[in-house]
Amino acid sequence: MRWCPSSVLHLLRCVRLRSWPRRGRNRVPQCMSEIWAYIKLLVQSLYFNTLTDSDVVFDSIFEPVFWTVDYVTRWFGVVFVCLVVILTSSIVVIAYVVLLPLVLNTYSPAWIAWHVCYGHWNLVMIAFHYYKAAKTSPGFPPTVKNDTPFVSVCKKCIVPKPARTHHCGICNRCILKMDHHCPWLNNCVGHFNHRYFFSFCLFMTLGCVYCSISGRNLFLDAYNALETQYQTPAPPYTFKDKMINKSIIYMWVLTSTVGVALGALTIWHGVLISRGETSIERHTNGKETKRMAKRGKVYRNPFSYGRLNNWKIFLGVEKRSHWLTRVLLPSGHAPHGDGMTWDFLPIKKDLVPV
């Protein structure tokens, strides 16, 4: 351990003496004193001990930036949720008001039954999983003394952290098996709502792809109707016809864009689930793999039980019928385990015999 160099301390004293008035005159406001103390603490933390590295220096310098981002994200979470609800509702309204009458008038009974059944099933799955992902608590470690095993102590909460637990700066507390903080949910994605989040992303992607594929011909017709330059007088279009064409274009562009972006995110999370790790653990496991490789060893994720077992545990599949009742239908079943204790070291046999 070594203290801050004398030159830095001397610089801090000079700045303090020149910027602060003498006692007996106007005192510095309390908020300014706290900011000054905070900056002083940041500077001193850079030189406090021999364990200081580039990560510590980076975190200390950019701490105000991180705090600002967390603050903005925390307060704009409600705006993002409202945006999701408004955009999704607009697509649903267009589907009922514009597309459904066209389907009923042009498609065969078999295709009508397919579109009505699949569309409503997909809509129910999206609404259910989004609501559950946003309203379900991700899970928090206990703040009172208990016998739960832990691997470290949170430097911000000053409470024991079980395995796979991380601190969220936006929620300002530790989260069990934290994956990330999702501003579109205004909630953390953790142990108890991770399945809801992934299912929402999956079914929203399927819904967007469904709208994009089934509405492609309608989009081309609407686009040509608005953009085609006629040599002869253009056919008469009423205001209603123009609004219908613009609505179809808006729906196709929005669903296609969201389908590509959200589809990539869903595939990425599917890969992580297959590996038995979260977004945060992906980075830590990568660093640990490199560290072990330098020593000539191979790192194995202690929370991975094989691709199929990882999916069974994640989805809560305990028997064959659960693929239908818990995966393809809305289900509010709890995840496997309590999020505080984990079975280490992968085993060869199926954890959940199916």
Side-chain angles (χ1 to χ4, degrees), residues 85-131:
V85 174
I86 292 173
L87 293 178
T88 306
S89 300
S90 66
I91 299 300
V92 174
V93 170
I94 294 174
Y96 275 104
V97 176
V98 178
L99 301 183
L100 186 59
L102 295 176
V103 170
L104 296 177
N105 293 329
T106 58
Y107 286 14
S108 63
W111 275 109
I112 292 175
W114 154 253
H115 283 290
V116 171
C117 293
Y118 177 82
H120 285 86
W121 169 77
N122 204 338
L123 178 60
V124 169
M125 297 297 286
I126 291 173
F128 172 81
H129 287 102
Y130 183 76
Y131 176 81

Side-chain angles (χ1 to χ4, degrees), residues 137-143 152-162 164-178 188-191:
S137 171
F140 312 108
T143 56
S152 63
V153 176
C154 180
K155 296 182 293 184
K156 297 184 178 181
C157 296
I158 317 299
V159 296
K161 290 200 305 183
R164 313 186 79 177
T165 299
H166 299 277
H167 185 88
C168 176
I170 300 174
C171 296
N172 199 27
R173 63 188 308 178
C174 289
I175 308 297
L176 297 177
K177 205 193 82 169
M178 179 180 175
C188 260
V189 176
H191 178 66

Side-chain angles (χ1 to χ4, degrees), residues 239-275:
F239 177 77
K240 179 181 178 180
D241 295 332
K242 292 182 179 180
M243 291 303 299
I244 290 176
N245 291 332
K246 291 181 179 180
S247 298
I248 293 175
I249 294 175
Y250 161 78
M251 182 205 68
W252 192 87
V253 172
L254 179 61
T255 55
S256 300
T257 305
V258 174
V260 172
L262 192 59
L265 178 65
T266 304
I267 293 174
W268 169 246
H269 278 278
V271 172
L272 295 179
I273 294 170
S274 300
R275 296 174 178 175

Side-chain angles (χ1 to χ4, degrees), residues 296-317:
K297 299 180 181 180
V298 178
Y299 174 77
R300 298 182 63 185
N301 179 17
F303 306 110
S304 178
Y305 308 100
R307 288 186 176 89
L308 182 57
N309 274 325
N310 290 336
W311 279 104
K312 291 176 183 177
I313 294 174
F314 179 79
L315 297 174
V317 175

